[in-house]
Every structure is written in C-alpha cells, then in structure tokens.
Amino acid sequence: MRTLHWTSILTLSVASCLALTGCPSDDIGDTGVGDDTDTGDTEESTESTDDEVGTEDSSTGTTEEETTEEETTGETTEEETTEEETADETTEETTEEETETGPPPAECGNGVVEGDEACDDANDDNTDDCLDDCTAASCGDGFIQAGVEACDDGVNDGAYGGCNADCTTLAAYCGDGEVNGPEDCDDANLELNDGCLDTCTIPESCLTIIDYDDMAMSGPYLIAPAGYDGEPFEVHCEMEADGGGYTFLKVDAGAQQFAQAAEAECAMWGMQLWIPRSLEHKNAGWAIANDAGIGDGANPDYMRILGIYPDQNGATCNLQPMNSDNPNCNWGASDGGPWYVHEVTNINEPNGDNSTTGSMFYTWFANGDINHHNDIPGNGYSSQRYMCDVGDKTP
C-alpha cells in the first residue's frame, strides 16, 4: 500500500487550488494541512529571513571593508600629513638655519676673490700685490712690495732708520754716507780699521773692535777713546795675546820726559802710560816696540818707563817677582788693575829710594825678558820714547 508524504499532499492541494483560480487562504488555514503550510511558510520566511540576514551580513561585511579602507585611508592621510608636516618643519628649520648662518664665509687663500676680499692670489707672499690676508698691498702695510716700494715700516714718517711717507725712499740711515741721527760717523762701508764701524760708531779701543768682530786681525786701526776730542787716530791692535783687544800707541816725544809728563801726553789721546798686564801682553809690547813697521820706528826704549808706581814713597819689591800676583810687592799699576813685569827673584831693586810719581827704568834682553830695573827719588827716570794704552783690556 502506497503512503503519501504530507508534503506531497500539500503540493497537490496547492496546485489544485491554483488551477481552480485559487483557494481562500482561510480554507486552507482551517485544515490541518493549512497548519503544515503555515509551518512551511514559516520555514520559507525563515529561509528568506536568513537570506536577508545573509544579505545584511554581506552588507555588513562591505561596510566593515569600507570602514577599514577609510581607516587605512585615514591612516595614510595622517601619515602623509605627518610627513608633510615633518617636511615643512625640516624646510622651516633649514630656512631658519640658512637665515641665521647665511651663505658660507669667504675663504682667503683659495684663489677666488669673494666676499669682501680685495684680492686672493692663494699664496702667503707679502711682497707681491696681494697680502696673505687677501687685502691689496699698499704703502703703510708694513711689507715692502717688490719692484714698487723701497721701504715700508708701517709708520713711514721719515724718522731716522725708517721710511719716508711715500715708501719709495728710505729715511736717513746708517750706511747712507751722511752723519745724522745718533751716528758718530758714516763712511758707508764695512771696514773695521777706518775709524767707523758699520754700526756708524767710532771704536774707542782695540777691545771695542774685537768685541764687535772676534775675527779681527792684529794691525793698525783708527780709534777715538772716551775722553778724546778729535778725529780718530791710528793705533796698533794686538788681537792675539790673552784673546786680543790690547791697544798700543807708540810715542816719540822728541825729548826726555818723566813719567808724569808721559802720562799727561797719553791722556791727551784718552789713554795712559802703558801697563803690561800679563806675560803675553809684555811679550807683545816688546815685539811692537821693536817693530819698525809699527809707529815711529823700532826702539827698546819704548819700554824704558811704565805706568807702574810704588804704593807709597819708599816702597820696596826687591829680590822678588814684580807682578800683581805677588802680595809682598808694594808696587802697583796706575789704574789699580793687574800688572806684570817678571817672575825673577835676583834683582835687588827697587830698594825704596823712590816716590809715588816716579817710574823706574827698565832694560830688557833681546828676547824680551827682564834684564834690570832701578828706582830713584823725585820724578824717577825719563825717556824720549814710551807707549800709551787704553787700559780697558785685562787678561
């Protein structure tokens, strides 16, 4: 026996009803089948509702996607805005920095004239037309521009040793051949023996000369000692004994003179009667006295009287060395400096018959060693010939 499912019956009833131009829903609703139909409708409505819900879900999904895109767009917009703001801030900072610092400063020495530079020759030569500080060379800058200026001391007021105002000529200076300013002389040469050093000063002694030039040789030189008022005169400079610097002036008075007269003559030259200071000095004096090429001829009498006197009337120094190293010898140099005659102990003079103004007479062997000496009362011994020295040089 075939059993029909209720759904089939419902389908058939609906179809019949439609064929008969519809069935009132109330009739259908009155049956039990109608109850089932309602249930079906409910299911379909449910399905429809599900579809709608699905649609809403789909719409909701679209909305969420759109929202996400909007949020992303918002984020992008915010990022872009932030980047733009950062760029703006960077631009503002750069602009501010450029405004504060300005363009890079000119660099003197790069060979390019820029900024407030007058020139730029990329060198540190201050004798050309552009100085090393990129300013143009000019009279008064303290640098001598080669081929243009003769001088430039930065003042250029024509003062001695300086530069004239236009920088083309020197002011008065030592070596221009004219005596001016603080000069004692100006012979415009470098000679040492002509009475004018190249410092435009007149040497006062042979010691002055060798102090100026320690290579100076023995020989004739012109000097003008302190206290001497006259033109430089010729003396012989001994530049070897005791390191050099001894001054000798041979004097032939033409007549006998006592020591005091000789001292006065020497003083006229700014000198004193010769005092041998050491063995070397004494030997040098002997050689000069006997050298016909020096001064007024050769004669041992140039060493007959000396500037050595008794410390007091009646002083003795017999049978002992006569020099300043002997404390028992009561004689001394006129200027109180060191002195030297000999080291022998076999001469029984001076025995005390003397005065403080008189010199003994001295005789010498041919080699310059002492032979004899003697004192006498009064003015002592005299000589036509003697030597003078400046006395500034000591061993």
Side-chain angles (χ1 to χ4, degrees):
M1 181 174 175
R2 181 175 295 178
T3 303
L4 295 175
H5 193 272
W6 68 268
T7 56
S8 299
I9 295 172
L10 178 60
T11 303
L12 289 175
S13 296
V14 171
S16 296
C17 184
L18 291 172
L20 294 176
T21 317
C23 294
S25 57
D26 293 340
D27 294 339
I28 298 172
D30 294 340
T31 63
V33 176
D35 296 336
D36 292 337
T37 302
D38 293 337
T39 303
D41 291 339
T42 302
E43 289 177 354
E44 289 176 1
S45 297
T46 302
E47 290 176 359
S48 177
T49 302
D50 291 339
D51 291 338
E52 291 174 359
V53 171
T55 302
E56 289 174 1
D57 291 341
S58 298
S59 298
T60 303
T62 301
T63 302
E64 289 176 351
E65 289 176 359
E66 290 176 356
T67 302
T68 303
E69 290 176 358
E70 288 176 358
E71 289 175 353
T72 303
T73 303
E75 292 176 357
T76 303
T77 302
E78 290 177 356
E79 290 176 358
E80 291 176 352
T81 301
T82 303
E83 291 176 357
E84 290 175 358
E85 291 176 353
T86 302
D88 291 341
E89 291 175 358
T90 303
T91 302
E92 290 176 359
E93 291 176 357
T94 303
T95 303
E96 289 177 358
E97 290 176 358
E98 290 179 351
T99 301
E100 292 176 358
T101 61
E107 181 181 352
C108 179
N110 62 4
V112 179
V113 179
E114 51 194 359
D116 59 357
E117 296 176 346
C119 59
D120 193 332
D121 57 6
N123 67 53
D124 57 1
D125 182 5
N126 285 324
T127 65
D128 57 15
D129 59 357
C130 185
L131 304 184
D132 60 7
D133 62 356
C134 293
T135 58
S138 63
C139 179
D141 58 23
F143 301 103
I144 301 174
Q145 187 177 354
V148 177
E149 299 174 339
C151 56
D152 191 334
D153 59 13
V155 179
N156 308 317
D157 60 356
Y160 177 82
C163 188
N164 288 323
D166 59 0
C167 292
T168 60
T169 57
L170 291 167
Y173 66 96
C174 176
D176 62 7
E178 297 182 9
V179 179
N180 42 46
E183 299 172 352
D184 296 325
C185 59
D186 193 334
D187 56 7
N189 67 51
L190 303 179
E191 299 296 328
L192 293 176
N193 61 357
D194 60 2
C196 186
L197 301 179
D198 58 14
T199 55
C200 293
T201 58
I202 299 172
E204 295 184 348
S205 69
C206 298
L207 181 62
T208 303
I209 296 169
I210 201 166
D211 282 347
Y212 179 76
D213 182 357
D214 60 6
M215 298 300 292
M217 305 295 290
S218 295
Y221 290 83
L222 299 181
I223 68 168
Y228 168 72
D229 185 16
E231 293 297 317
F233 58 90
E234 184 177 292
V235 297
H236 182 85
C237 290
E238 167 48 50
M239 300 302 198
E240 297 178 13
D242 296 327
Y246 287 121
T247 305
F248 289 86
L249 175 65
K250 294 166 74 173
V251 177
D252 185 343
Q256 295 292 316
Q257 289 185 334
F258 294 111
Q260 293 307 300
E263 291 280 12
E265 178 67 22
C266 290
M268 291 176 60
W269 302 96
M271 305 174 80
Q272 62 190 15
L273 186 59
W274 183 53
I275 304 166
R277 302 292 191 181
S278 67
L279 175 61
E280 283 189 51
H281 190 203
K282 185 266 297 182
N283 289 341
W286 178 253
I288 291 168
N290 290 280
D291 187 338
I294 299 174
D296 294 330
N299 197 306
D301 282 352
Y302 283 112
M303 288 177 58
R304 177 176 170 82
I305 58 176
L306 304 174
I308 300 171
Y309 306 95
D311 294 340
Q312 64 277 331
N313 292 339
T316 63
C317 190
N318 56 322
L319 302 175
Q320 53 186 305
M322 284 202 70
N323 57 68
S324 53
D325 290 335
N326 177 10
N328 297 317
C329 186
N330 296 314
W331 285 57
S334 61
D335 61 4
W339 58 281
Y340 182 93
V341 178
H342 62 73
E343 295 281 352
V344 303
T345 58
N346 60 350
I347 301 176
N348 196 24
E349 295 289 344
N351 60 9
D353 50 347
N354 53 59
S355 69
T356 57
T357 58
S359 170
M360 293 192 292
F361 81 86
Y362 300 86
T363 60
W364 311 86
F365 291 115
N367 64 358
D369 290 343
I370 190 67
N371 177 23
H372 189 67
H373 51 70
N374 186 48
D375 59 336
I376 56 174
N379 292 325
Y381 286 93
S382 64
S383 178
Q384 178 180 327
R385 298 176 178 86
Y386 46 88
M387 292 190 292
C388 304
D389 70 10
V390 174
D392 55 352
K393 165 67 180 180
T394 56

